[in-house]
């Protein structure tokens, strides 16, 4: 008690000390703003052609070795930049830390360089008189484990991403910088890219001259086990696999990929590319990816993409999403997301269009092409709608604010994701655009749909793979032209306001209602398998990872109320050793009971009992057809999913 009393006296003296007791003569510096040392980009031609040579043969150690020859116009300061703000990443994700051994020379003499003390992606050099070219040599030491980042070099394949292995001169729009790239691949490997080869000699490929913007937008997949399938006269499916045994798709499996391209071009009424290349890696060794480009896409799926075709939809919604971006995101791009170089920050406040409507059309095209069955698509919509219902953070964080999440969180794990929210503009954006589609159908008496918006807004001249930007009011005007409605108010409420309900109205208008059943759909089972988890979030509010580890806890769920959190390891359930089946059995056996589910879990070195109050049994989302007198038995969602070309 005496210690407490003494501490109380000390605290009171500290808190209530008079202002005169504070020091008066502390040093007080003045802030000096840093000078701008990097020239702003100008829309003028760069004087000369950059030659970029990448040796990509060291896939055992994951090292790319680079030689870059850069023309210079005059003596004096030259600033070279490493790409930082990367299109499709929606954030500054350039891996500058993996650049090593950087050295510059001119006529064989070494040139000193200094990194900018504000922008660490910039390097300054002083060019002597009478120098017309300089040479840069460096390595990109790619990740060798997932803890280092995404693995882009594996034993049997690689992903050459030009932004990782090149520098570019500051002061120019990247579309004005001509580049001729050369790559050396491992012996016997084949490569695919939207870039066209100029010449090939053994394992060295010289690509046709292009601009730096297009180069960065044209990555390469290369591999020992490679196969390419023409889908249409313009589109190709290029596949690399960990093992040749996975490269045996049947004609019936290739057919929906062909249908996908045809359905996409029919949907938008144009093709904003001269050629489109799906780059598909079926791998457990190289890092997963799904990234859009104007004339190609990087797609990483499990190696059993074809061999497990009949066990569920798997990752077959990835390619429909990425090709949709050729229209939405690449050709038509939010004004704040187009930048003249890879240094200027992107502004993501229209990602609910860029990604949200792409997510919507991705699932639609998956169904129309046959990559997804209609039932798989309905099950996906149910899971998405129910999942968004768990994002209770909507009470304080509006959807528009989640568009900043790629910058804020960079997809790092979150302790309370349902309360913090994350990149909800994907799936909540999908629900918003589903509702918009159903409103247009209702207001027009079934004569129009969101497809009319897609054709008028995203369509353009065939073969035009340039960029046309837009803002929020352009979206509102285009929707109004299709069907008059208070679209500005619609967007304001659903995107910009917090505390709103989950936008389920599109399901109801489309002829379905969200319900919960006691058996998981094939979609949920496939998703759990891919993520190596067991999703019980709609039951007790838990998602389980492997070995009894809690992967996630839903805020305000029964598990949350019991005190559980992510990272705990469950040892026992109701007195029995933990297993996935034991936990499911305990949940189901407590259905309708007044009792609680006893979970015994380890937190560090301590063990605790957690009593979970849930009597609703196992619950999984599903869609139920709305029936009854006066109800259209073929609702708007049914019509939405019907193919146009089959």
């Amino acid at each position: 008690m005496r210690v407490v009393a003494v501490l109380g006296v000390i605290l009171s003296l500290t808190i209530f000390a008079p202002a005169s007791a504070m020091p008066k003569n502390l040093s007080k510096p003045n802030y000096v703003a840093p000078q701008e040392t990097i020239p702003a980009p100008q829309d003028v031609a760069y004087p000369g052609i950059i030659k970029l040579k990448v040796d990509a043969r060291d896939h055992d150690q994951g090292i790319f070795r680079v030689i870059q020859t850069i023309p210079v116009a005059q003596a004096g300061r030259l600033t070279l930049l490493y790409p930082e703000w990367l299109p499709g990443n929606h954030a500054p994700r350039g891996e500058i830390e993996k650049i090593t051994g950087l050295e510059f020379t001119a006529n064989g003499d070494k040139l000193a360089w200094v990194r900018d003390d504000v922008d660490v992606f910039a390097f300054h050099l002083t060019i002597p008189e009478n120098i017309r070219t300089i040479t840069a040599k460096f390595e990109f030491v790619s990740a060798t484990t997932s803890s280092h980042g995404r693995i882009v070099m594996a034993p049997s394949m690689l992903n050459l991403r030009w932004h990782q292995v090149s520098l570019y001169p500051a002061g120019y729009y990247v579309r004005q910088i001509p580049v001729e790239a050369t790559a050396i691949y491992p012996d016997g490997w084949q490569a695919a890219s939207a870039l066209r080869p100029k010449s090939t000699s053994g394992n060295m490929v010289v690509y046709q001259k292009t601009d730096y913007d297009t180069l960065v937008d044209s990555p390469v997949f290369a591999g020992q086990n490679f196969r390419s399938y023409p889908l249409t006269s313009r589109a190709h499916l290029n596949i690399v696999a960990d093992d040749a045994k996975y490269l045996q798709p049947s004609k019936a499996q290739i057919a929906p990929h062909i249908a996908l391209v045809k359905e996409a071009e029919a949907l938008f009424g144009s093709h904003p590319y001269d050629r489109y290349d799906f780059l598909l890696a079926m791998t457990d060794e190289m890092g997963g990816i799904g990234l859009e480009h104007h004339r190609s896409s990087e797609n990483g799926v499990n190696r059993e993409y074809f061999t497990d075709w009949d066990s569920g939809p798997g990752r077959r919604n990835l390619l429909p999403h990425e090709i949709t971006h050729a229209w939405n995101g690449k050709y038509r791009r939010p004004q704040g997301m187009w930048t003249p170089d890879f240094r200027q920050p992107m502004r993501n406040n229209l990602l609910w269009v860029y990604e949200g409507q792409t997510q919507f059309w991705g699932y639609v095209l998956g169904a129309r092409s046959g990559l997804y069955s209609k039932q798989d698509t309905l099950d996906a919509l149910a899971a998405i709608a129910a999942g968004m219902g768990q994002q209770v953070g909507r009470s304080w964080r509006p959807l528009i604010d989640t568009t900043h999440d790629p910058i804020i969180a960079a997809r790092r794990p979150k302790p309370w994701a349902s309360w913090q929210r994350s990149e909800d503009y994907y799936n909540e954006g999908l629900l918003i655009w589903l509702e918009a589609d159903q409103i247009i159908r209702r207001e027009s008496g079934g004569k129009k749909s969101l497809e009319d918006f897609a054709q008028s807004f995203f369509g353009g001249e065939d073969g035009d793979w340039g960029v046309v930007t837009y803002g929020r009011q352009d979206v509102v005007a285009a929707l109004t032209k299709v069907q008059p409605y208070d679209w500005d108010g619609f967007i304001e409420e659903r995107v910009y306001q917090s505390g709103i309900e989950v936008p389920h109205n599109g399901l109801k208008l489309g002829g379905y209602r969200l319900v919960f059943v006691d058996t998981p759909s094939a979609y949920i089972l496939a998703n759990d398998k891919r993520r190596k988890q067991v999703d019980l979030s709609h039951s007790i509010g838990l998602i389980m990872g492997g070995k009894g580890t809690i992967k996630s806890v839903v805020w305000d769920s029964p598990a949350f109320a019991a005190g559980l959190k992510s990272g705990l390891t469950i040892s026992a359930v109701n007195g029995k050793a933990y297993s996935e089946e034991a936990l499911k059995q305990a949940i189901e056996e407590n259905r309708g009971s007044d009792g609680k589910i006893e979970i015994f879990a380890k937190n560090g070195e301590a063990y605790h009992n957690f009593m979970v109050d849930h009597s609703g049994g196992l619950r999984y989302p599903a869609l139920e057809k709305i029936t009854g007198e006066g109800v259209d038995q073929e609702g708007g969602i049914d019509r939405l999913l019907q193919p146009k070309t089959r």
Side-chain angles (χ1 to χ4, degrees), residues 450-499:
L450 194 64
E451 193 162 330
D452 295 278
F453 170 85
Q455 289 200 6
S456 63
F457 193 73
F458 298 117
E461 294 294 326
D462 287 343
D464 179 5
W465 38 284
V467 178
V468 180
T469 61
Y470 65 87
R472 172 181 168 178
Q473 289 309 311
D474 296 314
V475 176
V476 171
L479 285 168
T480 302
K481 187 174 181 180
V482 170
Q483 179 59 51
Y485 189 75
D486 182 15
W487 294 113
D488 199 57
F490 174 85
I491 292 168
E492 180 66 29
E493 179 181 350
R494 285 154 183 78
V495 177
Y496 288 84
Q497 293 182 11
S498 61

Side-chain angles (χ1 to χ4, degrees), residues 518-538:
D518 58 10
T519 304
S521 65
Y523 173 86
I524 292 173
L525 292 174
N527 190 56
D528 279 358
K529 180 180 178 181
R530 178 171 68 87
R531 297 178 183 271
K532 298 178 181 179
Q533 67 181 29
V534 177
D535 187 351
L536 300 170
S537 61
H538 302 290

Side-chain angles (χ1 to χ4, degrees), residues 17 45 161 163 232 336 344 362 364 392 395 419 451 472 474 483 504 572 595 605 608 635:
R161 316 184 78 198
H163 68 266
T232 67
Q344 313 307 315
V364 171
V392 293
S395 66
W419 181 238
E451 193 162 330
R472 172 181 168 178
D474 296 314
Q483 179 59 51
H504 286 171
E605 297 302 317
H608 299 279

